[in-house]
């Protein structure tokens, strides 16, 4: 049946009934889920095509606007996130594998593959070049069905760990170091081409750059560039704004410098791109989200000092930095003080993520009587055969209601969601 009207679910869990008269609920769709009206007889319910089983929904349980949807996709040990808001599709990191791409093509945007025949993303963000954050994005860039308008990253490249293999002057595997700073000039597609020509790159990073350059040549990638705290507001549209809070860089003799944070791994993690997302503020109270890649203790201290006495880190929802590692600053958590924290991490890894003190502090340094701490590892189902719908943490906001949901490991009929509505207390 053709869709008469595009609508979206308005209730945290909107019931879908088998007949126009009602009957026993046979599906529930989360707030903001697309529901295309296919039959409207003027009654109190209309028939919709939607996620899961189609059926009849109360007319007043539907709305015209999609609002904000954040999907923390379970990519195992890594981060992979999809953010949708009216007129915007954005990926922030892509995990170490093809899980994100599987989700995008197999579920979320399967309907686009027939018509128009491709999936368009407005923005792709690489928080930093560690495989658990960007290797899955190489798969997206290599996929002929995916297009990306703009790709942003932190500008810290990866070179061979063997000094003899690296280009001249590259005294670390992240590039040139001057005193206690790493300096870089890596930003756009031309820089990517130059890096590929210069050789000596770390293999996974080389594959990513090649994918970006190829996608650009084939017209599937618009622009690529480095961002930092000076970028400020990255975009603003239809109630949503994205600001770049980090990395904080310095001008070192005409080059961009990153404070050396004690080691290669600490330096590249600590200078992750830090995004703050604001939705429908201040029109309604709105909601805010902080995504900080793999920030560590030193980096959080540096960020707080840079912004002092301001605190742009206070948000409603926070992705736990570095998969729930123990390398965090309590002072930073006290500044963020979210209602809900989402931890993205894997099983069968040697880091023991999420660490017990990270879980404890996520709860302790939160707002509200009943703070929420979500974990992709807890949401995952071992019996689902790796189905990417399990393990995903869904976050939705219409500017007034902020909700989270994860799929139950076992459903009974239409009762498939484990949902939470945040009670605002400020
Ligand atoms: Zn990581």
């Amino acid at each position: 049946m053709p869709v008469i009207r595009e609508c979206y679910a308005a209730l945290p869990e909107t019931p879908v009934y088998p007949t126009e008269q009602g009957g026993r609920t046979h599906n529930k769709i989360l707030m903001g889920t697309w529901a295309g009206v296919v039959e409207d007889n003027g009654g109190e319910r209309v028939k919709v095509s939607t996620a899961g089983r189609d059926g009849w929904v109360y007319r007043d349980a539907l709305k015209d606007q999609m609002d904000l949807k954040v999907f923390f996709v379970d990519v195992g040990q890594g981060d992979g996130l999809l953010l949708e808001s009216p007129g915007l599709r954005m990926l922030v990191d892509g995990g170490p594998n093809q899980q994100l791409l599987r989700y995008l093509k197999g579920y979320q945007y399967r309907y686009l593959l027939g018509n128009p025949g491709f999936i368009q993303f407005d923005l792709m963000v690489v928080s930093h070049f560690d495989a658990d954050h960007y290797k899955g994005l190489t798969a997206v860039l290599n996929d002929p069905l995916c297009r990306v308008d703009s790709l942003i990253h932190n500008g810290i490249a990866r070179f061979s760990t063997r000094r003899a293999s690296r280009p001249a002057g590259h005294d670390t595997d992240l590039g040139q170091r001057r005193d206690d700073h790493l300096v870089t000039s890596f930003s756009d597609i031309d820089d990517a081409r130059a890096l590929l020509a210069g050789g000596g790159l770390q293999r996974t990073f080389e594959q990513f750059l090649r994918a970006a350059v190829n996608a650009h040549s084939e017209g599937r990638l618009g622009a690529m560039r480095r961002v930092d705290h000076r970028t400020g507001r990255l975009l603003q549209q239809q109630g949503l704004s994205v600001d770049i809070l980090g990395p904080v860089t310095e001008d070192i003799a005409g080059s961009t410098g990153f404070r050396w944070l004690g080691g290669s791994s600490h330096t590249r993690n600590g200078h992750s791109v830090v995004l703050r997302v604001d939705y429908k503020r201040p029109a309604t109270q709105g909601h805010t989200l902080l995504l900080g890649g793999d920030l560590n203790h030193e980096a959080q201290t540096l960020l707080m000092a840079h912004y002092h006495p301001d605190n742009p880190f206070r948000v409603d929802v926070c992705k736990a930095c570095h998969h729930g590692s123990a390398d965090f600053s309590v002072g930073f958590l006290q500044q963020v003080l979210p209602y809900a924290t989402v931890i993205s991490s894997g099983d069968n890894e040697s880091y023991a993520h999420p660490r017990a003190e990270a879980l404890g502090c996520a709860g302790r340094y939160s707002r509200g009587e009943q703070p929420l701490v979500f974990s992709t590892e807890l949401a995952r189902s071992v019996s689902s055969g790796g189905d990417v719908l399990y393990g995903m943490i869904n976050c939705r906001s219409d500017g007034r209601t902020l909700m989270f949901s994860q799929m139950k490991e076992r459903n009974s009929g239409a009762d498939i969601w484990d949902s939470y509505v945040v009670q605002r207390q400020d």
Side-chain angles (χ1 to χ4, degrees), residues 268-281:
R268 58 180 195 261
N269 281 333
H271 294 298
S272 291
V273 174
V274 183
L275 301 171
R276 180 189 160 113
V277 177
D278 284 45
Y279 186 63
K280 287 201 171 172
R281 278 165 51 89

Side-chain angles (χ1 to χ4, degrees), residues 128 132-133 294 322-323:
H128 64 298
D132 58 331
H133 296 257
D294 280 357
H322 206 180
H323 324 292

